[in-house]
Amino acid sequence: MTSVLVLVVLALAFPWGGSVAARRLAGLLPPREACWTLTAAAVLMAGGTIAALTGLFQVPFLAALENVPLTRVLEAWPAAVPMACAAGAVLLVQLVLLVRRCLQHRSLLRRAWRSAAEGTGAGDLLVVPGSEVDAFALPAHRGRGGRIVVTSGMMRALRATEREVLLAHERAHLSGRHHLLSAVVDLSTTVHPAVRSLRESLGFHLERWADEAAAAAVGDRKVAAAAIARAALAGASQKRRTGGGYPLLSVTAGPVPRRVEALLRPAPAAAQGGARQAGALGLATAVAALAPAALAPAYGLHEYVEYAALALRGG
């Protein structure tokens, strides 16, 4: 059963290297393609981890299905039952953490909607009175469409053109459903700790995606860069209560200096018609490379366990 342990180790260790590769690949892609690459990588690595643990947990049950006495299994692999119990315990912990994280998301979203209830405005904009400097995209909830929540303090801190950048940025978060990508990666972190490094990287690229959309909306990359820098500086001295991270994406989140620097450079190639195909090809290639690497060890584990059970029954 040494091969089983090798397959398990490969499946559980792959995300550590896979996350590094995914982050580096994302750095070479335009923001939108980078976000989808990171999300796909998180799902594949989490799925491979769950599949490997499930396969290990099923060893005694597969033997029973093949009418192999458990004593025969233990003779060939004494650690089968302890390993299966350990895998089952890990799966249970993952489930508890997943449910807990989902409840935290829902609670934060409910609190954000309650805090935005006192806001006034038209369309998708809600201006909340107060001296705090904050703004974030509030996802749809219980039949209510998404909203852009901006404090009056933030509105006063920005010039008219900079406010246009702010609103275009947050609208890009809502229209692109960025909170869903953020939620998927955030929930994947409960499955494997290596996925946590993708969460921060995804947050940066989501903000970059919205930055580029805002720059295109106002037609001036320098104005967009200045607005983001001013908004970040205005809110830097205050502790944020709501904005930043799932499910509330904000213009002042992430490494702002890197985002401003990127806006002061020419637009990414993918923002120009024909070059989008190159970004899509890079994304497809990344997913095609990550999928077998993440899932092959887990699939091999299932196949090997079934083969071993048949061999024991025949012996």
Side-chain angles (χ1 to χ4, degrees):
M1 290 291 182
T2 303
S3 298
V4 173
L5 294 178
V6 171
L7 290 169
V8 171
V9 170
L10 285 176
L12 299 182
F14 170 77
W16 295 107
S19 61
V20 174
R23 292 198 309 272
R24 291 185 177 180
L25 176 61
L28 301 175
L29 295 173
R32 185 181 65 170
E33 285 75 9
C35 292
W36 283 105
T37 296
L38 291 168
T39 304
V43 171
L44 289 171
M45 287 187 284
T49 300
I50 293 175
L53 291 172
T54 302
L56 192 59
F57 176 68
Q58 289 178 339
V59 170
F61 303 101
L62 289 173
L65 289 175
E66 296 293 341
N67 296 319
V68 179
L70 185 58
T71 54
R72 291 292 306 278
V73 176
L74 296 177
E75 288 175 3
W77 189 18
V81 172
M83 293 291 287
C85 292
V90 173
L91 287 170
L92 180 60
V93 170
Q94 290 174 339
L95 178 60
V96 171
L97 291 175
L98 182 63
V99 172
R100 180 184 177 186
R101 187 64 59 84
C102 288
L103 294 176
Q104 289 174 344
H105 289 174
R106 294 186 61 183
S107 176
L108 177 58
L109 194 56
R110 285 197 301 268
R111 292 200 306 270
W113 270 103
R114 284 198 297 267
S115 68
E118 57 190 69
T120 59
D124 60 354
L125 176 62
L126 289 175
V127 179
V128 179
S131 60
E132 291 188 358
V133 180
D134 204 357
F136 54 88
L138 186 57
H141 181 62
R142 292 185 176 180
R144 293 174 289 185
R147 295 289 188 273
I148 300 169
V149 180
V150 184
T151 62
S152 55
M154 176 66 86
M155 297 294 281
R156 289 192 298 269
L158 302 179
R159 301 185 181 95
T161 55
E162 293 169 341
R163 288 196 290 269
E164 291 180 17
V165 174
L166 172 72
L167 298 180
H169 178 101
E170 301 302 345
R171 285 193 178 102
H173 280 319
L174 291 176
S175 62
R177 298 182 179 273
H178 294 174
H179 63 284
L180 295 180
L181 300 183
S182 182
V184 168
V185 174
D186 189 49
L187 294 176
S188 297
T189 63
T190 64
V191 176
H192 200 293
V195 183
R196 294 173 187 170
S197 63
L198 300 184
R199 181 170 53 190
E200 181 178 354
S201 182
L202 176 68
F204 168 71
H205 289 288
L206 285 174
E207 295 304 327
R208 284 282 301 117
W209 184 351
D211 288 345
E212 292 297 333
V218 300
D220 192 324
R221 299 179 64 80
K222 291 184 179 180
V223 169
I228 291 168
R230 183 183 291 271
L233 287 173
S237 60
Q238 300 183 14
K239 182 177 179 181
R240 303 176 62 79
R241 294 187 308 169
T242 52
Y246 177 84
L248 309 175
L249 298 169
S250 170
V251 71
T252 59
V256 174
R258 288 175 58 195
R259 292 167 51 199
V260 171
E261 182 184 1
L263 282 172
L264 294 177
R265 296 195 297 265
Q272 304 169 10
R276 287 187 181 273
Q277 298 178 358
L281 179 61
L283 172 61
T285 302
V287 173
L290 284 170
L295 300 178
Y299 176 77
L301 172 63
H302 284 269
E303 293 297 309
Y304 185 87
V305 169
E306 291 185 6
Y307 172 78
L310 288 172
L312 284 172
R313 186 181 61 179

